[in-house]
Amino acid sequence: MRRTTLRAALCAALLAVVSQTSAVAPATALEPGGHGDRPCVRTQRPLDAQARRVLDITREAKAELRLNSVEVKVTLDGREVLTDALGESMTGVPARPDMHFRAGSVAFAHIGTALLQLVQEHKVSLDDTVERWLPDVPKARRITLRMLANNTSGLHDYVTDPAFLKELVPHPFRQWTPEQLLAYPYSHSFWYEPGTSWSYSHANYVLLVQALEKITGMPIQDFVRQRVTGPLGLRDTRAGFTPDIPSPVLHAFTSDRGLYEESTFWNPSWTTAPGAVITTHICDLARSAEGIGSGELLSPRAYRTLLNPGTVGLGGGTARCPATICLKQTPAEHFGLGVIVVNGWILQNPSFSGYAAIQAYLPSKRLALAVSATKTATTPDGNQAEVVAARIAAALAPGIPLAIG
C-alpha cells in the first residue's frame, strides 16, 4: 500500500517543454512510436554493450534485493535498448515480458492527461468547482478539478486510515464501493482549506473519476481508452474492478499480513474508482512512460501544467497537518497532475498487494524506463522496482538521479 511519504505517496527540475501537437487520434489508431501489435518479447540476442549493461544491473539488483521476478524495458530516443524478464512468476514458471500485472497509480497519469485534453479543448477549466457534478461532496463549492487531480483538496487518505486498514487487512478479497471508501475521509475534518497545501489522498481520484464520468457522459475506462491508452497504442493496458487479471499473469506474493502468501488475486477495488483499476505489461508500461512523460498527447501549455499545476511551494508541516502528511513540494521533487516530477524525471510508482512498478521518462535524454518487481519472503520493504530503475538511470543518465525521497 502506498504511504504518505514522497517514496510511496508520490507513490507518488521543471523541464524545457518539447513542442507537441494537441491532436488526439481515435482510440483505434496507433501513433508513431507505439508498439501496436508487436509482441512483447525479450530483446533478440546477441545484445549490444548498452543492453548488456542494463541487463547486468538488473540481474545484480534482483539478487541483492532478493526479488522473485524483475521485468524491465528501456528505450532511448524511441529505440529499444532492452526488454527482458528475470526470475519466476510462480515456482517453476519463468517470468515473461508479456505477463500482466497491476499498475495502480499509473492510471492517475492517464486520467490527468485526459483531463488536460478537455481543458485545452475549453470543455472544462481546471478551476471549475465540483459542486456542479458532485454537489454532495464536503466543501464542493471550494474544491476544484485541479485540486482533485493534484492532491490539494485537503481530504484525508483512506488508505492510511487505521479504521480502514482494520477492515482491509483481514479481508483482502472484499469488494469495495466508492461510497464505502469515501466514508473514511468524510469522517475526518479537512487537513487544510482546499488549495492551500498538499497531501496525498486516494479519495481525490475516486472523486475525480466520478466528476469526469458526469462531464463526459461515459465510463472512465472508455474515456481514457479513447483519449490516452488507445492513441498511445497500449493494447494490453486494461481497466477493471475485480480481482481478474488477463492471461498471461505475473503472480505476486507479499508478507503484508505477517505471512508470506500469494496476493495475485486480492481484490483491488479499494485502490481507486471503478474503471480506473488497471493491469498492463512491461512493454505497455514503457510506452506509457514515453507518451505521458513527453506530453505527446498535449499542447505545450497543457504539458507545462501536467508538470506543475501549482503544487510547487505548497506543503510543509503545520499544527493541523504534520510534515509527514503535508509534504513540502519543491521544484526538484513534486506532484504534478497525476504524475510525479523528480529531478526532471516524470514518473508514477505503483506499489501494493505484492506488486511494485515504476514508469519514468527523462525528456532531456528521451529516455524511458519501465520496471516491475515481485517479492520473495526476504525482499526489503518498499517499492524495489524504484531501486532497480534508479540504478539503471544512474548508468544511462549519470548526474540526473531518479531518487524518490
Side-chain angles (χ1 to χ4, degrees):
M1 292 175 286
R2 297 172 70 91
R3 302 180 180 125
T4 50
T5 65
L6 276 177
R7 167 174 289 279
L10 286 181
C11 153
L14 288 177
L15 312 167
V17 176
V18 180
S19 294
Q20 303 290 341
T21 176
S22 61
V24 179
T28 55
L30 294 180
E31 292 290 323
H35 62 271
D37 290 326
R38 286 184 288 168
C40 186
V41 296
R42 289 180 172 87
T43 303
Q44 187 175 0
R45 270 54 174 177
L47 300 177
D48 63 22
Q50 191 174 52
R52 289 197 303 271
R53 187 180 186 192
V54 173
L55 183 56
D56 288 344
I57 291 169
T58 306
R59 282 174 173 162
E60 291 170 5
K62 178 184 178 299
E64 179 184 331
L65 302 172
R66 302 180 296 281
L67 294 167
N68 194 51
S69 73
V70 180
E71 299 190 333
V72 60
K73 185 175 180 72
V74 178
T75 66
L76 185 60
D77 200 20
R79 176 187 64 84
E80 179 186 63
V81 175
L82 179 73
T83 304
D84 215 325
L86 310 177
E88 295 183 321
S89 171
M90 298 184 293
T91 303
V93 180
R96 303 198 324 250
D98 64 344
M99 286 181 166
H100 299 90
F101 51 85
R102 301 201 186 281
S105 58
V106 168
F108 301 162
H110 298 166
I111 291 169
T113 290
L115 170 60
L116 284 170
Q117 290 177 10
L118 294 181
V119 172
Q120 69 189 22
E121 294 163 10
H122 306 291
K123 294 179 178 177
V124 296
S125 166
L126 285 181
D127 296 318
D128 288 340
T129 57
V130 300
E131 61 179 323
R132 175 180 172 185
W133 307 288
L134 307 174
D136 296 329
V137 172
K139 301 191 179 185
R141 293 184 179 182
R142 282 176 276 173
I143 294 175
T144 65
L145 295 174
R146 183 193 305 270
M147 293 172 193
L148 294 179
N150 69 9
N151 285 287
T152 58
S153 71
L155 284 164
H156 278 236
D157 187 7
Y158 60 81
V159 171
T160 58
D161 190 316
F164 171 74
L165 294 173
K166 184 178 179 180
E167 185 63 27
L168 175 69
V169 172
H171 304 115
F173 298 103
R174 173 176 170 173
Q175 183 81 16
W176 293 83
T177 67
E179 292 72 26
Q180 291 169 335
L181 297 173
L182 291 169
Y184 291 96
Y186 289 174
S187 70
H188 298 279
S189 59
F190 282 57
W191 283 118
Y192 45 83
E193 282 302 303
T196 63
S197 189
W198 186 94
S199 56
Y200 191 86
S201 175
H202 288 73
N204 289 320
Y205 273 83
V206 174
L207 291 171
L208 182 59
V209 164
Q210 292 180 345
L212 285 171
E213 289 187 329
K214 291 188 176 182
I215 291 167
T216 63
M218 66 175 71
I220 192 66
Q221 62 267 32
D222 296 341
F223 173 58
V224 172
R225 183 172 61 247
Q226 180 186 92
R227 294 286 187 146
V228 179
T229 59
L232 292 180
L234 307 184
R235 295 281 180 90
D236 288 290
T237 298
R238 304 174 189 176
F241 200 56
T242 74
D244 184 46
I245 300 177
S247 182
V249 178
L250 180 69
H251 286 246
F253 306 84
T254 185
S255 301
D256 285 350
R257 304 197 306 162
L259 172 71
Y260 184 66
E261 57 187 331
E262 177 160 3
S263 53
T264 307
F265 298 108
W266 285 4
N267 196 313
S269 58
W270 60 269
T271 59
T272 189
V277 179
I278 64 171
T279 57
T280 192
H281 59 41
I282 202 66
C283 295
D284 269 16
L285 193 65
R287 175 67 179 127
S288 172
E290 177 187 45
I292 298 297
S294 66
E296 181 176 318
L297 302 178
L298 298 174
S299 68
R301 181 178 181 180
Y303 182 51
R304 288 193 294 270
T305 302
L306 179 81
L307 302 186
N308 180 17
T311 49
V312 173
L314 295 178
T318 67
R320 292 178 59 188
C321 187
T324 53
I325 292 174
C326 286
L327 301 170
K328 188 68 176 178
Q329 303 295 290
T330 69
E333 191 167 358
H334 62 270
F335 205 90
L337 208 79
V339 299
I340 307 158
V341 178
V342 178
N343 299 323
W345 292 90
I346 302 162
L347 61 102
Q348 260 295 356
N349 57 343
S351 178
F352 64 99
S353 299
Y355 286 105
I358 183 171
Q359 68 168 47
Y361 186 74
L362 186 62
S364 62
K365 292 188 177 294
R366 299 183 56 134
L367 173 61
L369 305 180
V371 178
S372 170
T374 58
K375 304 176 181 179
T376 67
T378 60
T379 298
D381 290 338
N383 186 333
Q384 299 306 315
E386 292 176 1
V387 178
V388 179
R391 295 182 184 184
I392 296 171
L396 300 183
I400 313 176
L402 179 57
I404 304 170

